[in-house]
Amino acid sequence: MDASSFQNERKGSIVSSDVQDSKQMDSMLMAGKRIEEWLSELDAIAKEVEVELVSRDIGCHYIEVLEAVNKVLFESRGFKRSAVVDSKCSYLHSVLSSRCGSAILLSIIYIEVCRRLNLTILGSRVGEDFLIWPQTGNPEELFKVSSGHSLFGIVNGRCVDNPKSKASDLNSHSLLGLDIASNRDIIGIYLANLIRLHWKRASRTNHGLMLTSPLRPVDDDTTDGSSIPLLRPQDLRLAIMASEKLLILQPHNWALRRDHGMMLYFSRDYGEAVQELSICMAFAPEEEAEILEPFVEKLHFMRLESSWKSLGHKGRLTVP
């Protein structure tokens, strides 16, 4: 079966369950609330900003709107960037509840609040940071310093003042040269962060373990899965779930598909791992495919032996 067949089969299974999945998502409770109830929190924040603007008796220049958003989010509501990235600051409902979140998620909240106020916020990845700013024909205003801070700095946090960050080199001219992230790009960045977070947590007890560690030359005869490191199953599953979503956005990203297949291998889902890694080999550069090929062959045998033992057979499966 070739890569196209695999993808068509997978696509068909996804489409057939879209309606059911949508209903399940709508009714899913997270910390006691449905998704729509958590999203209504963003509406409430936007309403607070509108009240703040009315109380100031000012117009709707974007600078004034941003100042009001900053006051409501960072002063009245007390949102702040987490110094340590963990699962509690990486999911929308948790951040809206604790008001402490990762930089990318706070940026998403900021974008969504401003969208409800009819203010378009742009974003771009700069080095390790994701920066946001309002769409404007006069970017110089964003970098004017008042009370020790520029509006651009207040919106994006400490990275703007950190000389080790590429964000600190930005000015009104270089800002115009950045690649603007689409909604699809932002979701991709967020999902990639989730994958890294949960893989790191899953492999915490296996210092130095990388997703590609098992791809070293296959020179042993261990095919029963006993050599696979034990990982934290919940975090591994969450990493796989985030990877599945990201693959929908980036189906031809061979490195992402390889990593997804390796996570399935670590979860001992050999059949799915073989499928994903086989698709990966169709897209990967030749030298990468050559590295994967012997591992996939071994994985085929591990899948067969796993099925053999599940039927109650004992001993090693041998191929004549």
Side-chain angles (χ1 to χ4, degrees):
M1 187 178 291
D2 59 17
S4 297
S5 300
F6 274 127
Q7 284 192 302
N8 290 336
E9 180 178 316
R10 179 172 184 154
K11 183 178 179 181
S13 64
I14 292 173
V15 171
S16 63
S17 61
D18 273 351
V19 175
Q20 182 179 354
D21 289 346
S22 178
K23 291 180 179 179
Q24 289 177 344
M25 288 292 288
D26 289 341
S27 61
M28 184 184 299
L29 291 179
M30 295 182 294
K33 293 183 181 180
R34 297 191 305 275
I35 292 177
E36 61 183 26
E37 292 178 292
W38 284 113
L39 292 177
S40 68
E41 287 288 316
L42 299 174
D43 299 330
I45 295 172
K47 291 292 184 183
E48 288 183 34
V49 175
E50 291 176 347
V51 171
E52 173 65 23
L53 288 170
V54 170
S55 68
R56 295 185 182 193
D57 192 26
I58 56 179
C60 289
H61 189 275
Y62 77 88
I63 294 291
E64 295 159 342
V65 175
L66 288 179
E67 288 175 347
V69 172
N70 290 339
K71 181 174 182 179
V72 170
L73 277 179
F74 304 126
E75 295 181 27
S76 302
R77 290 265 182 161
F79 280 91
K80 61 181 179 180
R81 288 173 174 81
S82 173
V84 179
V85 178
D86 61 22
S87 58
K88 292 182 180 179
C89 66
S90 299
Y91 289 91
L92 181 62
H93 70 286
S94 297
V95 175
L96 289 172
S97 178
S98 68
R99 301 180 183 182
C100 182
S102 63
I104 182 65
L105 205 45
L106 286 183
S107 294
I108 291 173
I109 291 173
Y110 203 101
I111 290 170
E112 285 300 308
V113 169
C114 288
R115 184 177 66 82
R116 286 160 170 77
L117 298 166
N118 297 317
L119 179 61
T120 300
I121 299 294
L122 306 178
S124 179
R125 189 159 202 166
V126 179
E128 295 298 316
D129 302 302
F130 184 78
L131 306 178
I132 57 175
W133 65 93
Q135 187 175 38
T136 174
N138 187 21
E140 290 83 2
E141 289 183 303
L142 300 176
F143 292 89
K144 289 180 180 178
V145 177
S146 176
S147 301
H149 299 283
S150 68
L151 191 59
F152 187 78
I154 293 173
V155 170
N156 290 291
R158 296 178 181 177
C159 65
V160 174
D161 300 318
N162 184 354
K164 295 182 180 180
S165 169
K166 292 183 178 180
S168 64
D169 297 328
L170 284 176
N171 55 43
S172 58
H173 297 292
S174 57
L175 189 69
L176 297 175
L178 296 178
D179 293 327
I180 305 302
S182 64
N183 288 341
R184 189 185 189 93
D185 295 331
I186 295 172
I187 294 171
I189 293 170
Y190 170 70
L191 289 172
N193 286 350
L194 277 186
I195 295 170
R196 285 193 294 271
L197 167 67
H198 287 298
W199 169 253
K200 184 177 180 180
R201 287 170 57 89
S203 60
R204 181 177 295 172
T205 58
N206 296 272
H207 182 69
L209 179 66
M210 300 174 61
L211 279 170
T212 55
S213 294
L215 295 180
R216 57 181 176 270
V218 182
D219 55 5
D220 61 76
D221 194 35
T222 303
T223 56
D224 59 0
S226 60
S227 63
I228 300 177
L230 292 177
L231 305 178
R232 297 175 66 174
Q234 182 176 356
D235 279 298
L236 180 57
R237 184 57 197 156
L238 289 171
I240 291 173
M241 290 171 65
S243 181
E244 288 172 345
K245 300 299 183 185
L246 188 52
L247 275 171
I248 295 174
L249 298 180
Q250 303 174 15
H252 296 124
N253 185 332
W254 70 267
L256 173 62
R257 195 171 291 278
R258 176 201 62 196
D259 291 349
H260 183 66
M262 294 308 298
M263 284 190 285
L264 290 168
Y265 159 75
F266 280 112
S267 69
R268 292 173 168 76
D269 192 345
Y270 303 133
E272 289 290 325
V274 166
Q275 175 174 308
E276 294 298 337
L277 293 175
S278 297
I279 296 174
C280 171
M281 289 171 61
F283 296 124
E286 184 176 353
E287 60 273 17
E288 296 292 341
E290 289 176 354
I291 294 173
L292 283 168
E293 186 174 6
F295 181 77
V296 172
E297 289 177 356
K298 176 180 177 179
L299 210 52
H300 269 296
F301 194 80
M302 292 176 70
R303 180 182 62 171
L304 290 173
E305 186 158 68
S306 178
S307 299
W308 169 265
K309 290 184 177 180
S310 69
L311 295 174
H313 298 291
K314 297 181 179 180
R316 297 287 299 276
L317 176 65
T318 58
V319 179

